[in-house]
Amino acid sequence: MRLIKRVLAVCAVMSLAAGAVYAAGGYRETIDLFKHSGASATFFDKSYAYAVFPTVGEGGLVVGGAHGRGRVYVHGKWDGNVTMTQLSVGLQAGGKAFSQIIFFEDKRALDEFRSGDFEFGADASVVAITAGASASAGTNGADAAASGGKNDATTRGKYVKGMVTFVIAKGGLMGQVAVAGEKFKFSPRDES
């Protein structure tokens, strides 16, 4: 139990440190990055809504965790805030930071996400946008291809149960063969 608390504390510190860098313009900059990164760009026009996390910090040593804060946008307008927490178990060591965006195909998918405590299981589909030599992440059920620069990344993604997730690695080094689930908690903008 002590190890889990230490891992979560490290993730929280990483998230806070990275979050301070992106505090004011982080959401706009992250959205612009995804708008210019391969196939994730096309989802802005065809999705009902999206949740964006400028920085998610992840760390682990056998037991791992990740944490990030984000915003939900419906038709491009800020609708509410969301937190993401992840717990993983398996062979893993290190730490990393990444940006994440989740697109919602329709109102039903967004309502499911906003219903309270929503959780992605280990079978969730994630597309890793790999741009540059240092960016890499595992995918589960989706393809990703490398490119020379962050603005011309090549990716392919599709909705699974009304949602698709893209991530862009920001830094760090983490070896991982683990099972993880992400849990999200939404709060409307006027309650935040």
Side-chain angles (χ1 to χ4, degrees):
M1 194 61 163
R2 257 187 210 162
L3 180 60
I4 292 173
K5 287 181 181 180
R6 286 182 183 164
V7 169
L8 291 175
V10 168
C11 291
V13 169
M14 285 176 56
S15 196
L16 288 173
V21 174
Y22 283 92
Y27 291 99
R28 282 187 307 277
E29 291 167 359
T30 303
I31 291 166
D32 286 343
L33 184 61
F34 281 105
K35 281 185 176 180
H36 296 94
S37 296
S40 64
T42 64
F43 283 87
F44 284 94
D45 292 332
K46 62 183 180 180
S47 69
Y48 179 80
Y50 56 89
V52 64
F53 300 84
T55 302
V56 177
E58 181 177 8
L61 182 61
V62 181
V63 175
H67 183 75
R69 295 185 184 279
R71 289 183 178 171
V72 173
Y73 293 85
V74 177
H75 303 298
K77 297 190 188 292
W78 180 19
D79 181 62
N81 298 311
V82 63
T83 57
M84 184 277 287
T85 305
Q86 178 187 62
L87 185 62
S88 56
V89 178
L91 297 173
Q92 56 189 324
K96 66 181 178 181
F98 57 91
S99 296
Q100 179 173 340
I101 193 164
I102 304 166
F103 291 99
F104 304 98
E105 185 174 26
D106 50 30
K107 185 176 183 324
R108 181 213 48 84
L110 177 62
D111 287 346
E112 183 181 343
F113 182 81
R114 291 195 298 198
S115 66
D117 288 335
F118 176 81
E119 190 168 336
F120 276 142
D123 61 340
S125 177
V126 177
V127 178
I129 299 175
T130 54
S134 65
S136 66
T139 61
N140 189 3
D143 302 338
S147 68
K150 67 183 178 185
N151 291 332
D152 61 356
T154 304
T155 60
R156 291 178 294 283
K158 63 180 180 174
Y159 288 112
V160 175
K161 298 181 182 176
M163 297 174 219
V164 64
T165 302
F166 292 88
V167 296
I168 298 175
K170 296 176 78 169
L173 181 61
M174 186 162 182
Q176 187 174 34
V177 178
V179 175
E182 292 182 351
K183 189 169 189 169
F184 299 88
K185 186 165 181 82
F186 174 82
S187 59
R189 184 175 178 189
D190 53 352
E191 291 181 13
S192 304

